[in-house]
Amino acid sequence: MSENQIPALLSTFSPFDDLNEQYRQRIAEHAEVVTRDKGKIIFQRGKEASYRYYLLEGSVDLVDSSFRPTTIAANSEPARLTLDDSSPTRVSAVANTASRLLKVDAEFLDVALAWSQSSGGVELPEQFPSANDDAELGEVNLSQAHVEVDEGEGDWMSALLQSPLFYKVSPAHLQSLFARFQRVPVKQGELIIKEGEAGDYFYVIGHGSARVTNLTGKLDVQLQQGQFFGEEALVGDAPRNASITMLSDGYLMRLEKADFKSLLQEPVQKFIQFEELQGLAPASYQLLDVRLPLEFRHQHVPGSRNINLPALRDKLKELDTGVRYVITDDAGRRSQVAAYLLCQQGFDAVILQAADQHYETN
């Protein structure tokens, strides 16, 4: 089936029939048609739901905790809704006949619906990242949000909304976040950030362009309108790792460190206890230790994978988007930066607290 047909299929189900075509097109990028033979399990009760399923053809038995089945047939009124809208799922779904289903990414769907219903007048981003897009991250955290946009007062905001990081922030938080930004006029040649200094602001280029360099001479990147910088020093309370100089007149939108932490970093940075981790299926998560190899070899949490923070940026394309990344907190601020970088690129990342209490020593 052509991908062009998926928006039309979506429109036959609720809540997609209440969305405009632009939203359906975006959601279609995160959906696919799948088939299941008779007797095959579609999803199991009590599991975290990464997808929502909509029945196109055939019939499905929904089996509850008492093993009582309820049969749902395609084109019936109950079939206009997702087979289960909860996570963990309340029922198991088993194909009663050979069936075709529409499989939609649950997290993206939730984001799209939240924005369509409570965007507060914020315009829909020109293009949400596709589920198949490769995330790219340079040495200064160039994310999927870094795109060129037309000149205009609202373009810097639309560019930010395209970043996977901002999917994790509620619309209410985003409205507060945008309200805290300050507009700052800048001139060509003006030094905005100096390498080695303490971080004080998070910046977005509202209009103009800038150059990113560092003392080693290995970094020379141009940033355009809608791109952002300065977040890494704020997350890790670390010195600036590069200098930013304006290449043209223009203006920046800046956010103070305290507002950045409370409105952007804290809402997306989540923690997990070791006891909670033990309750998860081992295949559902990957332990990451972002310290240097020598530190890791000395002692580490059993089962953890060592990717030091500098190397993490280069390995993002190799990481599996289908698992949760649990970063051990033994790297201190480096762990916070790693979790932020992963969330920025659309990964599910949390920080494991008190990791050193569960060390394996070599």
Side-chain angles (χ1 to χ4, degrees), residues 94-168:
V94 182
N96 185 272
T97 65
S99 302
R100 293 173 71 244
L101 306 105
L102 196 58
K103 177 182 176 184
V104 183
D105 183 275
E107 182 177 358
F108 188 86
L109 173 59
D110 184 55
V111 169
L113 292 176
W115 273 104
S116 69
Q117 296 169 16
S118 56
S119 59
V122 176
E123 203 172 319
L124 181 71
E126 188 66 25
Q127 181 178 0
F128 284 124
S130 164
N132 297 319
D133 281 349
D134 287 328
E136 295 184 3
L137 184 66
E139 291 187 73
V140 289
N141 303 342
L142 304 184
S143 77
Q144 293 178 10
H146 296 160
V147 296
E148 291 192 31
V149 292
D150 295 333
E151 294 184 11
E153 291 293 323
D155 290 333
W156 67 272
M157 187 183 298
S158 294
L160 286 186
L161 293 179
Q162 294 180 47
S163 169
L165 175 69
F166 282 75
Y167 293 177
K168 301 176 185 294

Side-chain angles (χ1 to χ4, degrees), residues 123-344:
E123 203 172 319
L124 181 71
E126 188 66 25
Q127 181 178 0
F128 284 124
S130 164
N132 297 319
D133 281 349
D134 287 328
E136 295 184 3
L137 184 66
E139 291 187 73
V140 289
N141 303 342
L142 304 184
S143 77
Q144 293 178 10
H146 296 160
V147 296
E148 291 192 31
V149 292
D150 295 333
E151 294 184 11
E153 291 293 323
D155 290 333
W156 67 272
M157 187 183 298
S158 294
L160 286 186
L161 293 179
Q162 294 180 47
S163 169
L165 175 69
F166 282 75
Y167 293 177
K168 301 176 185 294
V169 182
S170 70
H173 265 100
L174 282 177
Q175 290 169 10
S176 298
L177 185 70
F178 288 139
R180 302 287 181 88
F181 274 95
Q182 306 165 354
R183 179 183 170 125
V184 182
V186 289
K187 296 291 185 181
Q188 181 180 358
E190 184 174 347
L191 181 65
I192 308 302
I193 283 178
K194 184 177 180 180
E195 184 175 356
E197 291 185 342
D200 50 0
Y201 293 99
F202 168 71
Y203 294 93
V204 185
I205 299 180
H207 178 56
S209 60
R211 184 183 182 191
V212 186
T213 58
N214 64 5
L215 295 176
T216 67
K218 296 180 180 180
L219 183 61
D220 192 348
V221 176
Q222 286 194 21
L223 302 180
Q224 304 297 327
Q225 182 178 358
Q227 296 184 273
F228 57 83
F229 58 89
E231 70 274 30
E232 190 166 325
L234 304 186
V235 174
D237 290 318
R240 298 293 194 185
N241 62 3
S243 295
I244 312 287
T245 306
M246 293 303 300
L247 294 175
S248 66
D249 292 349
Y251 70 88
L252 301 175
M253 302 302 297
R254 73 182 187 186
L255 187 69
E256 291 185 353
K257 180 177 180 178
D259 290 333
F260 173 86
K261 284 184 169 290
S262 64
L263 293 172
L264 183 54
Q265 182 184 348
E266 291 177 5
V268 302
Q269 189 163 278
K270 301 186 183 303
F271 298 85
I272 190 171
Q273 301 292 331
F274 193 81
E275 291 72 23
E276 297 174 75
L277 193 67
Q278 296 298 97
L280 300 179
S284 69
Y285 68 89
Q286 169 72 68
L287 275 170
L288 280 186
D289 188 317
V290 297
R291 297 175 301 163
L292 295 172
L294 183 60
E295 296 173 284
F296 176 80
R297 287 198 296 270
H298 176 63
Q299 54 187 11
H300 57 267
V301 178
S304 57
R305 176 185 178 186
N306 183 217
I307 306 178
N308 65 69
L309 183 57
L312 182 62
R313 298 180 177 89
D314 298 325
K315 292 184 177 292
L316 287 170
K317 291 184 179 180
E318 302 173 15
L319 299 182
D320 184 356
T321 58
V323 301
R324 168 177 287 188
Y325 287 92
V326 180
I327 297 100
T328 57
D329 68 352
D330 41 21
R333 292 189 176 98
R334 287 175 293 171
S335 297
Q336 295 178 23
V337 173
Y340 183 89
L341 290 176
L342 288 171
C343 288
Q344 185 186 63

